[in-house]
Amino acid sequence: MDKIVKSANEAAEQIIEWSESHEIDTCFDRAKKMKPCPIGSSGACCRICHVGPCRFVGPNAEEEARGVCGATLPTVASRNLLRMAIGGAAAHSDHARDMAFTLLAVANGETSDFSITDVKKLYRIAGILEIEFEGRTVNDVARDVATKLIEDFGRQKGELNFIKRAPKKTQERWKKWGIIPRGVDREITESMHRTHIGVDHDPDNILLSTLKVSLADGWGGSMISTDITDILFGTPKPVKAEAGFGIFKEDEVNLIVHGHEPSLAEIIIDVVNEKEMKEYAKSKGANGINLGGMCCTANEVLMRHGIPTAGGFTNQELAILTGLVDAMTVDVQCIMPALAELSKKFHTKLITTSYKAKIPGAIHIQYDEHRAKEIAREIVNLAIENYANRKAEGSHVSDKFPVIAGFSHEYIEYMQGGSWRASFRPLNDAIMAGRIRGVVGLVGCDNPRVPSQGLHRFLALELIKHDVLVVSTGCGSAACGTAGYLTPEMALENAGPGLREVCEAIGIPPILHLGSCVDNSRILTIATAMAEEGGLSDEIGGMPAVGIAPEWMSEKAIAIGCYFVASGVPVIFGGESPVGASEQVTRIITEVWFERFKGALHFEPDPEKILDLTLKYIDMAREALKLRKYEPGKFGAERVLMDMAARRELERAAKPHIGIY
Ligand code: NFS
């Protein structure tokens, strides 16, 4: 029998083999032992009250099965989906709230460890929020921006501030179906109320609430987080970095920042570069301090500073199994509690830093933005002091790949015309002419229940071969990065002829790393800019664009998927459907949602079928927009894309400065 591969990441597979030979369990072994409950995994289990849990099984469960209260399977399956979206929206939005309070603390002069890095972005957001910025101090503007965005969490009536950033037509659809979020916390609370026993029982109504709470994430929490993070730490532009387990250094202190919130990691970057710290590391026998990232904190610091990443969700235990990690600091979300037990088998110090996310067995050092540097120094000291305890054992692997990351909305606009003519025109033109067939957001988690990262790799390669421009975030980016896919050379070797030409002209990879999972909000603003540029759809719906989360597992992924659907993007998730038990719910989230919003939510375990459905959606949209029929290697007339030299030439000629950069 063929050997079953647990991870498509070759270095990961080597580490897994090493762990198995040493009888150390990882998520891959546990996934084998712990099969998903077939009732719960298809949405057919209701456990929201203690009369149950009730199971909705049997040949006619859809029509006949009833819970003790009389609830039907469609009610229960839709309620379960809504509960997942709430969890996801809460996670992203609570992260955003922390960012907003950090911005407020900076503006109020309560912390000297942070400052405002991107004043232009601050002004841009102030402009959107209708906050006056001319002739005012940066801190005064920042205070107003932070305060106004904090109001988005607790607003009881009205609309989220950023709803108006969406194309008018998209907003009209939301208004028609009553899903414009008021305040983030209000939508989360109301949705929790609706899913309590004996409240909302209409699947369609419950599912509209799923879209509403998810929009509060996308155009609320996530967008707030992205913008404030850019204001505080800089709007990303392309940087070179590396990805893979080979980023760890045998002769240096290896410290990993893992989780999602970037603030502490930003300060740790400053601290590891302090002369005294470097000298302290030397005094302990190390040649330096090597900082690496994991999951979405990795994406944040990779995009802004080129800090290398060891990978995504399924790689976190494997990093410790290398035996080279002296300390791993974690904050919130997607952190496996298994790390505590595992780190004890090695010398690794596991450090939790959020009062919201403690793990028995880990060291807790509470982060506080008012004392950020002091805390960062404590963590770096711990890592340095632990270097001497490193033992020989561990699965040392050396694979690492170059990565180009840092594609923000602003940079993508800039790269299409320089400071003077920054726009989305060339991208729209390339799509209209058929050089680029469509755009896919390849996002979301990696998953130990499939050959981990393998679905991302397969789809990324196939899509670019078919002239589809891929934008990636989260662990999808990590999967592509650790495969060596995030380089411009990838376009030369693997992209279809049209996409290759576009990538060569602009000098970009065919897969653009847009950041962490909260940065999926960048895809929303990019899609809006494309709609406003003209020539394609005049709303997000109807664009030749699809979202794919082939290895998703988290509630955040559901919230992201649903806000894309509500915004007008067909979304395809891998794996079995969490509402698969109900035909009615499945029909609503596909056909009914498509009719209303031009977005649909599919669940499809077979990657070949995901690819087929994606291309079908893209071609359908091209046809509906009356665009040139896509044929590989045959393009219509379009404007010439500017190369780097032409762009520089234009910039020399064109001061004053317009645009972000
Ligand atoms: Ni996104 Fe980032 Fe990864 Fe999935 Fe978790 S790290 S926020 S949820 S597992 S992509």
Side-chain angles (χ1 to χ4, degrees), residues 244-266:
F245 294 106
I247 65 162
F248 301 129
K249 297 191 175 150
E250 304 264 355
D251 60 346
E252 293 191 16
V253 174
N254 292 309
L255 169 59
I256 296 193
V257 287
H258 172 22
H260 286 77
E261 296 186 350
S263 309
L264 176 59
E266 284 278 338

Side-chain angles (χ1 to χ4, degrees), residues 132-347:
E132 189 54 61
F133 54 88
E134 301 274 358
R136 302 180 67 203
T137 68
V138 168
N139 277 358
D140 281 348
V141 179
R143 186 179 309 110
D144 285 356
V145 166
T147 307
K148 200 149 185 191
L149 291 176
I150 288 167
E151 282 168 14
D152 268 340
F153 295 93
R155 182 178 304 98
Q156 302 303 317
K157 291 186 174 172
E159 296 181 0
L160 291 181
N161 278 306
F162 287 160
I163 289 296
K164 65 177 178 206
R165 287 170 88 169
K168 281 274 160 314
K169 254 182 133 174
T170 307
Q171 292 182 47
E172 279 160 22
R173 288 181 189 273
W174 296 340
K175 200 166 278 161
K176 180 173 173 199
W177 293 102
I179 57 167
I180 296 189
R182 295 153 293 187
V184 173
D185 297 349
R186 174 150 194 199
E187 301 314 339
I188 289 170
T189 307
E190 187 183 291
S191 303
M192 282 303 282
H193 177 194
R194 282 165 181 249
T195 54
H196 187 274
I197 177 175
V199 187
D200 202 351
H201 296 111
D202 175 352
D204 188 22
N205 207 37
I206 294 168
L207 292 166
L208 281 171
S209 177
T210 308
L211 296 181
K212 192 173 185 178
V213 79
S214 300
L215 284 176
D217 175 353
W219 296 85
S222 286
M223 202 171 277
I224 292 172
S225 182
T226 296
D227 285 337
I228 293 183
T229 308
D230 285 354
I231 290 169
L232 282 171
F233 307 127
T235 303
K237 349 180 187 186
V239 282
K240 266 197 191 144
E242 289 177 327
F245 294 106
I247 65 162
F248 301 129
K249 297 191 175 150
E250 304 264 355
D251 60 346
E252 293 191 16
V253 174
N254 292 309
L255 169 59
I256 296 193
V257 287
H258 172 22
H260 286 77
E261 296 186 350
S263 309
L264 176 59
E266 284 278 338
I267 293 291
I268 289 178
I269 295 173
D270 290 348
V271 166
V272 297
N273 285 310
E274 286 174 353
K275 201 167 146 248
E276 307 77 56
M277 277 297 170
K278 287 183 180 168
E279 275 166 11
Y280 188 47
K282 286 231 161 79
S283 77
K284 297 286 174 186
N287 276 339
I289 312 166
N290 178 40
L291 194 60
M294 181 67 69
C295 284
C296 280
T297 303
N299 289 322
E300 299 277 1
V301 290
L302 174 76
M303 293 272 285
R304 294 190 178 84
H305 304 281
I307 301 293
T309 177
F313 180 67
T314 58
N315 289 356
Q316 55 188 294
E317 291 172 288
L318 309 185
I320 290 180
L321 279 154
T322 63
L324 294 172
V325 177
D326 301 304
M328 181 186 270
T329 153
V330 303
D331 50 44
V332 289
Q333 301 167 23
C334 305
I335 295 146
M336 292 188 190
L339 294 178
E341 227 173 287
L342 181 64
S343 60
K344 296 230 155 40
K345 296 194 163 70
F346 295 85
H347 76 299

